[in-house]
Amino acid sequence: MAKTSTRDRMSNEINAGSMADIAFLLLIFFLVTTTIVEDKGITVKLPPWSEEEPDITKLKKRNVFSVLVNAQDQLLVRGEPARIEELRGRAKEFISNPSKLENLAEKPTKAIISLKNDRGTSYDAYLTVYNELKAAYSELWDELSQRRYGVPYSEDMPFAYKKAIREEIPFVLSEAEPTAFGEE
């Protein structure tokens, strides 16, 4: 039997010295080029901070559309139990007051929607109510835009048109401080 020298044997090793460098460079490349998607949430413009005492004016009860969501996710609209399916229609009627009723808003510029929830209110119920109230305004803006300009209200319409519509029907949704769990 002949002896084999180490020179005759094939080397089965792979040089892995630069593998760590390549993996590190790929990691840096993916970290730099990847964009992280952020949740937008609800875009609400908060009033500016002020050290002065707020001017508390008397509001006419007829101009306030109060919506309360309690800890059991039940809805009270102006003190009466209501279903979520009715909320959008009732809010639109309140804001526009087409029949000029005495118990609805005097005009759209004076209409205030007050949303109050309980600390026990589910997030899903809160968002559903908020979306219905926002949709009421969106439908009113769209109807006014169709009547006045013949085009639906959208983000790509001229700024002057949007401003005129928003001045006639301003989005006024006041969110009150949540009550303690199960208080109301």
Side-chain angles (χ1 to χ4, degrees):
M1 203 163 156
K3 286 187 172 181
T4 58
S5 67
T6 55
R7 192 187 319 194
D8 294 336
R9 287 191 208 146
M10 286 183 54
S11 175
N12 290 338
E13 295 177 12
I14 297 175
N15 184 7
S18 63
M19 289 288 226
D21 294 338
I22 292 170
F24 185 67
L25 287 173
L26 283 173
L27 178 67
I28 291 174
F29 172 77
F30 287 119
L31 285 173
V32 169
T33 59
T34 303
T35 58
I36 298 172
V37 179
E38 295 179 13
D39 288 336
K40 298 275 184 190
I42 301 173
T43 55
V44 176
K45 185 177 179 183
L46 297 174
W49 176 255
S50 174
E51 294 290 333
E52 299 174 16
E53 286 290 319
D55 180 30
I56 300 183
T57 58
K58 275 279 205 196
L59 296 176
K60 290 185 180 176
K61 190 173 182 174
R62 74 175 279 188
N63 290 328
V64 179
F65 186 76
S66 60
V67 178
L68 171 70
V69 186
N70 67 13
Q72 289 79 34
D73 294 341
Q74 296 167 330
L75 192 64
L76 275 124
V77 176
R78 299 189 99 182
E80 302 171 0
R83 294 189 349 237
I84 192 73
E85 297 83 21
E86 307 168 342
L87 186 59
R88 185 183 310 186
R90 288 183 66 181
K92 281 177 62 176
E93 182 183 13
F94 172 80
I95 296 164
S96 62
N97 194 4
S99 305
K100 304 294 182 214
L101 299 174
E102 291 294 319
N103 62 338
L104 301 179
E106 293 173 280
K107 55 185 179 178
T109 55
K110 293 193 176 193
I112 298 172
I113 294 185
S114 172
L115 175 60
K116 188 174 185 180
N117 59 15
D118 192 279
R119 294 203 189 278
T121 303
S122 71
Y123 191 65
D124 186 47
Y126 169 77
L127 278 180
T128 304
V129 169
Y130 187 90
N131 286 338
E132 287 297 313
L133 295 172
K134 180 76 170 135
Y137 276 102
S138 296
E139 287 181 11
L140 287 171
W141 293 334
D142 192 53
E143 290 168 7
L144 181 61
S145 178
Q146 290 285 2
R147 274 194 320 266
R148 188 176 284 171
Y149 306 114
V151 294
Y153 184 86
S154 64
E155 291 300 318
D156 55 332
M157 73 185 308
F159 178 75
Y161 289 1
K162 286 195 301 188
K163 184 177 178 189
I165 290 169
R166 291 268 185 133
E167 283 177 357
E168 194 165 326
I169 305 173
F171 179 65
V172 182
L173 188 121
S174 170
E175 292 191 55
E177 183 73 25
T179 58
F181 186 80
E183 189 175 292
E184 289 190 47

